[in-house]
Short mmCIF file of all heavy atoms in Angstrom, two decimals:
data_model
loop_
_atom_site.label_atom_id
_atom_site.label_comp_id
_atom_site.label_asym_id
_atom_site.label_seq_id
_atom_site.Cartn_x
_atom_site.Cartn_y
_atom_site.Cartn_z
N LYS A 1 30.79 56.91 -80.12
CA LYS A 1 30.46 56.57 -78.72
C LYS A 1 29.70 57.70 -78.05
O LYS A 1 28.79 57.46 -77.25
CB LYS A 1 31.74 56.24 -77.94
CG LYS A 1 32.40 54.97 -78.39
CD LYS A 1 33.69 54.74 -77.65
CE LYS A 1 34.41 53.52 -78.19
NZ LYS A 1 35.75 53.37 -77.66
N ARG A 2 30.09 58.93 -78.33
CA ARG A 2 29.42 60.07 -77.71
C ARG A 2 27.96 60.17 -78.18
O ARG A 2 27.07 60.40 -77.37
CB ARG A 2 30.17 61.35 -78.03
CG ARG A 2 31.56 61.36 -77.39
CD ARG A 2 32.53 62.33 -78.04
NE ARG A 2 32.74 62.15 -79.47
CZ ARG A 2 33.47 61.20 -80.05
NH1 ARG A 2 34.05 60.29 -79.30
NH2 ARG A 2 33.61 61.14 -81.35
N ARG A 3 27.74 59.99 -79.48
CA ARG A 3 26.36 60.05 -79.98
C ARG A 3 25.51 58.92 -79.44
O ARG A 3 24.35 59.11 -79.09
CB ARG A 3 26.37 60.04 -81.52
CG ARG A 3 26.87 61.35 -82.10
CD ARG A 3 26.72 61.43 -83.61
NE ARG A 3 27.26 62.69 -84.07
CZ ARG A 3 28.25 62.80 -84.95
NH1 ARG A 3 28.79 61.71 -85.50
NH2 ARG A 3 28.71 63.98 -85.30
N ILE A 4 26.08 57.72 -79.36
CA ILE A 4 25.34 56.57 -78.82
C ILE A 4 24.98 56.82 -77.36
O ILE A 4 23.84 56.54 -76.93
CB ILE A 4 26.17 55.28 -78.98
CG1 ILE A 4 26.29 54.92 -80.47
CG2 ILE A 4 25.55 54.13 -78.20
CD1 ILE A 4 27.33 53.85 -80.78
N GLU A 5 25.90 57.36 -76.59
CA GLU A 5 25.64 57.66 -75.19
C GLU A 5 24.49 58.67 -75.04
O GLU A 5 23.57 58.47 -74.23
CB GLU A 5 26.91 58.22 -74.55
CG GLU A 5 26.80 58.57 -73.10
CD GLU A 5 28.10 59.14 -72.56
OE1 GLU A 5 29.17 58.55 -72.80
OE2 GLU A 5 28.04 60.20 -71.90
N ILE A 6 24.52 59.73 -75.82
CA ILE A 6 23.47 60.74 -75.74
C ILE A 6 22.14 60.17 -76.25
O ILE A 6 21.08 60.42 -75.66
CB ILE A 6 23.86 62.02 -76.51
CG1 ILE A 6 25.09 62.67 -75.82
CG2 ILE A 6 22.70 63.01 -76.55
CD1 ILE A 6 25.75 63.77 -76.63
N MET A 7 22.20 59.42 -77.33
CA MET A 7 20.98 58.79 -77.87
C MET A 7 20.32 57.93 -76.80
O MET A 7 19.10 57.95 -76.64
CB MET A 7 21.36 57.97 -79.10
CG MET A 7 20.21 57.49 -79.90
SD MET A 7 19.52 58.80 -80.92
CE MET A 7 18.31 57.82 -81.78
N SER A 8 21.13 57.19 -76.05
CA SER A 8 20.61 56.33 -74.99
C SER A 8 19.93 57.12 -73.87
O SER A 8 19.04 56.61 -73.20
CB SER A 8 21.73 55.47 -74.38
OG SER A 8 22.26 54.60 -75.36
N GLU A 9 20.38 58.34 -73.67
CA GLU A 9 19.75 59.20 -72.66
C GLU A 9 18.38 59.70 -73.13
O GLU A 9 17.53 60.03 -72.30
CB GLU A 9 20.65 60.41 -72.36
CG GLU A 9 21.96 60.05 -71.69
CD GLU A 9 22.94 61.22 -71.64
OE1 GLU A 9 22.59 62.32 -72.09
OE2 GLU A 9 24.06 61.00 -71.14
N LEU A 10 18.18 59.79 -74.44
CA LEU A 10 16.97 60.37 -74.98
C LEU A 10 15.89 59.35 -75.36
O LEU A 10 14.70 59.62 -75.22
CB LEU A 10 17.28 61.21 -76.23
CG LEU A 10 18.24 62.39 -76.04
CD1 LEU A 10 18.44 63.11 -77.37
CD2 LEU A 10 17.73 63.34 -74.97
N PHE A 11 16.31 58.20 -75.87
CA PHE A 11 15.37 57.23 -76.41
C PHE A 11 15.74 55.83 -75.92
O PHE A 11 16.89 55.43 -75.98
CB PHE A 11 15.40 57.26 -77.95
CG PHE A 11 15.16 58.63 -78.51
CD1 PHE A 11 16.21 59.37 -79.03
CD2 PHE A 11 13.90 59.20 -78.49
CE1 PHE A 11 16.01 60.64 -79.54
CE2 PHE A 11 13.69 60.47 -78.99
CZ PHE A 11 14.74 61.20 -79.53
N GLU A 12 14.71 55.10 -75.47
CA GLU A 12 14.95 53.75 -74.96
C GLU A 12 15.23 52.76 -76.09
O GLU A 12 16.11 51.92 -75.99
CB GLU A 12 13.74 53.28 -74.15
CG GLU A 12 13.64 53.95 -72.80
CD GLU A 12 12.47 53.41 -72.00
OE1 GLU A 12 12.00 52.29 -72.28
OE2 GLU A 12 12.01 54.12 -71.11
N ASP A 13 14.45 52.86 -77.13
CA ASP A 13 14.55 51.90 -78.24
C ASP A 13 15.07 52.58 -79.50
O ASP A 13 14.42 53.50 -80.01
CB ASP A 13 13.19 51.26 -78.54
CG ASP A 13 12.71 50.39 -77.40
OD1 ASP A 13 13.56 49.72 -76.79
OD2 ASP A 13 11.50 50.37 -77.15
N TYR A 14 16.19 52.12 -79.97
CA TYR A 14 16.72 52.60 -81.25
C TYR A 14 17.75 51.58 -81.71
O TYR A 14 18.23 50.75 -80.94
CB TYR A 14 17.35 53.99 -81.12
CG TYR A 14 18.60 54.04 -80.28
CD1 TYR A 14 19.85 53.91 -80.85
CD2 TYR A 14 18.53 54.19 -78.90
CE1 TYR A 14 21.01 53.93 -80.08
CE2 TYR A 14 19.65 54.21 -78.12
CZ TYR A 14 20.89 54.09 -78.72
OH TYR A 14 22.04 54.09 -77.95
N LYS A 15 18.05 51.63 -82.97
CA LYS A 15 19.07 50.76 -83.57
C LYS A 15 20.25 51.62 -84.00
O LYS A 15 20.13 52.82 -84.18
CB LYS A 15 18.50 50.05 -84.80
CG LYS A 15 17.33 49.14 -84.52
CD LYS A 15 16.84 48.57 -85.84
CE LYS A 15 15.58 47.75 -85.64
NZ LYS A 15 15.03 47.29 -86.91
N ILE A 16 21.36 50.95 -84.18
CA ILE A 16 22.56 51.62 -84.69
C ILE A 16 22.97 50.94 -85.98
O ILE A 16 23.04 49.70 -86.04
CB ILE A 16 23.74 51.52 -83.69
CG1 ILE A 16 23.36 52.19 -82.37
CG2 ILE A 16 25.01 52.11 -84.28
CD1 ILE A 16 24.31 51.89 -81.24
N GLN A 17 23.20 51.73 -87.00
CA GLN A 17 23.75 51.21 -88.25
C GLN A 17 24.71 52.27 -88.78
O GLN A 17 24.33 53.41 -88.96
CB GLN A 17 22.68 50.90 -89.27
CG GLN A 17 23.25 50.25 -90.52
CD GLN A 17 22.15 49.80 -91.48
OE1 GLN A 17 21.04 49.46 -91.07
NE2 GLN A 17 22.48 49.80 -92.75
N VAL A 18 25.93 51.86 -89.01
CA VAL A 18 26.98 52.79 -89.43
C VAL A 18 26.81 53.10 -90.91
O VAL A 18 26.62 52.21 -91.74
CB VAL A 18 28.38 52.22 -89.16
CG1 VAL A 18 29.46 53.19 -89.60
CG2 VAL A 18 28.52 51.90 -87.68
N ALA A 19 26.90 54.39 -91.24
CA ALA A 19 26.87 54.83 -92.62
C ALA A 19 28.28 54.80 -93.17
O ALA A 19 29.18 55.47 -92.66
CB ALA A 19 26.32 56.26 -92.69
N ASP A 20 28.48 53.99 -94.19
CA ASP A 20 29.78 53.87 -94.81
C ASP A 20 29.78 54.68 -96.12
O ASP A 20 29.36 54.17 -97.16
CB ASP A 20 30.10 52.40 -95.08
CG ASP A 20 31.54 52.21 -95.59
OD1 ASP A 20 32.38 53.11 -95.35
OD2 ASP A 20 31.78 51.17 -96.21
N ILE A 21 30.19 55.95 -96.03
CA ILE A 21 30.16 56.82 -97.20
C ILE A 21 31.47 57.58 -97.31
O ILE A 21 32.22 57.72 -96.35
CB ILE A 21 29.00 57.85 -97.11
CG1 ILE A 21 29.22 58.81 -95.92
CG2 ILE A 21 27.65 57.17 -97.04
CD1 ILE A 21 28.46 60.08 -96.00
N SER A 22 31.70 58.10 -98.50
CA SER A 22 32.80 59.06 -98.70
C SER A 22 32.28 60.41 -98.23
O SER A 22 31.17 60.81 -98.57
CB SER A 22 33.15 59.13 -100.20
OG SER A 22 33.92 60.29 -100.43
N GLU A 23 33.06 61.09 -97.42
CA GLU A 23 32.61 62.38 -96.89
C GLU A 23 33.06 63.53 -97.76
O GLU A 23 33.34 64.61 -97.30
CB GLU A 23 33.12 62.55 -95.46
CG GLU A 23 32.46 61.58 -94.49
CD GLU A 23 32.75 61.86 -93.04
OE1 GLU A 23 33.20 62.98 -92.70
OE2 GLU A 23 32.55 60.96 -92.23
N PHE A 24 33.05 63.32 -99.07
CA PHE A 24 33.45 64.38 -100.00
C PHE A 24 32.19 65.03 -100.58
O PHE A 24 31.28 64.35 -101.04
CB PHE A 24 34.28 63.79 -101.16
CG PHE A 24 34.58 64.82 -102.21
CD1 PHE A 24 35.55 65.78 -102.00
CD2 PHE A 24 33.88 64.82 -103.40
CE1 PHE A 24 35.81 66.74 -102.97
CE2 PHE A 24 34.13 65.78 -104.38
CZ PHE A 24 35.11 66.73 -104.17
N VAL A 25 32.13 66.34 -100.51
CA VAL A 25 31.05 67.11 -101.09
C VAL A 25 31.71 68.10 -102.05
O VAL A 25 32.58 68.88 -101.65
CB VAL A 25 30.23 67.86 -100.02
CG1 VAL A 25 29.21 68.77 -100.65
CG2 VAL A 25 29.56 66.86 -99.10
N ASP A 26 31.31 68.07 -103.32
CA ASP A 26 32.00 68.88 -104.32
C ASP A 26 31.63 70.36 -104.29
O ASP A 26 32.44 71.21 -104.65
CB ASP A 26 31.80 68.31 -105.73
CG ASP A 26 30.34 68.20 -106.12
OD1 ASP A 26 29.48 68.44 -105.27
OD2 ASP A 26 30.09 67.86 -107.29
N SER A 27 30.41 70.70 -103.86
CA SER A 27 30.06 72.12 -103.81
C SER A 27 29.09 72.37 -102.67
O SER A 27 28.24 71.55 -102.36
CB SER A 27 29.44 72.57 -105.14
OG SER A 27 28.21 71.93 -105.35
N PHE A 28 29.24 73.53 -102.07
CA PHE A 28 28.33 73.95 -101.00
C PHE A 28 28.44 75.46 -100.89
O PHE A 28 29.45 76.05 -101.22
CB PHE A 28 28.66 73.26 -99.67
CG PHE A 28 30.07 73.46 -99.19
CD1 PHE A 28 30.38 74.48 -98.31
CD2 PHE A 28 31.10 72.62 -99.64
CE1 PHE A 28 31.68 74.66 -97.87
CE2 PHE A 28 32.39 72.80 -99.20
CZ PHE A 28 32.69 73.83 -98.31
N SER A 29 27.36 76.08 -100.44
CA SER A 29 27.34 77.55 -100.39
C SER A 29 27.68 78.11 -99.01
O SER A 29 28.00 79.28 -98.91
CB SER A 29 25.98 78.08 -100.85
OG SER A 29 24.97 77.59 -100.01
N SER A 30 27.58 77.28 -97.99
CA SER A 30 27.89 77.75 -96.64
C SER A 30 28.37 76.57 -95.80
O SER A 30 28.18 75.41 -96.16
CB SER A 30 26.65 78.36 -96.00
OG SER A 30 25.68 77.37 -95.74
N ASN A 31 28.99 76.90 -94.69
CA ASN A 31 29.42 75.85 -93.76
C ASN A 31 28.24 75.02 -93.26
O ASN A 31 28.32 73.80 -93.13
CB ASN A 31 30.17 76.46 -92.57
CG ASN A 31 31.46 77.14 -92.99
OD1 ASN A 31 31.95 76.94 -94.09
ND2 ASN A 31 32.00 77.94 -92.11
N GLU A 32 27.11 75.71 -92.99
CA GLU A 32 25.90 75.00 -92.55
C GLU A 32 25.42 74.04 -93.61
O GLU A 32 25.03 72.91 -93.33
CB GLU A 32 24.79 76.00 -92.19
CG GLU A 32 25.01 76.71 -90.87
CD GLU A 32 25.87 77.95 -90.98
OE1 GLU A 32 26.36 78.29 -92.09
OE2 GLU A 32 26.11 78.59 -89.94
N GLU A 33 25.44 74.47 -94.88
CA GLU A 33 25.00 73.61 -95.96
C GLU A 33 25.89 72.38 -96.08
O GLU A 33 25.40 71.27 -96.31
CB GLU A 33 24.98 74.35 -97.30
CG GLU A 33 24.45 73.48 -98.42
CD GLU A 33 24.50 74.15 -99.79
OE1 GLU A 33 24.42 75.38 -99.85
OE2 GLU A 33 24.65 73.41 -100.77
N LEU A 34 27.19 72.54 -95.87
CA LEU A 34 28.11 71.41 -95.96
C LEU A 34 27.78 70.34 -94.92
O LEU A 34 27.65 69.16 -95.25
CB LEU A 34 29.55 71.88 -95.79
CG LEU A 34 30.62 70.78 -95.73
CD1 LEU A 34 30.60 69.91 -96.98
CD2 LEU A 34 31.99 71.39 -95.49
#
């Protein structure tokens, strides 16, 4: 809801589609990379 609200403030036309994924990442070198 927060992202949709901010997106609406920035762009008039956009679509929303939810990403249905597993949020597991097996390796990363930094917090930023994750």
Side-chain angles (χ1 to χ4, degrees):
K1 290 177 186 171
R2 295 160 303 285
R3 288 187 182 121
I4 292 167
E5 180 181 312
I6 295 169
M7 191 77 175
S8 296
E9 294 169 2
L10 300 181
F11 306 105
E12 286 183 22
D13 293 323
Y14 67 93
K15 298 176 185 175
I16 299 167
Q17 185 173 331
V18 180
D20 186 22
I21 64 160
S22 164
E23 293 189 17
F24 174 76
V25 174
D26 58 353
S27 65
F28 56 94
S29 61
S30 69
N31 296 345
E32 285 86 359
E33 183 184 331
L34 174 59

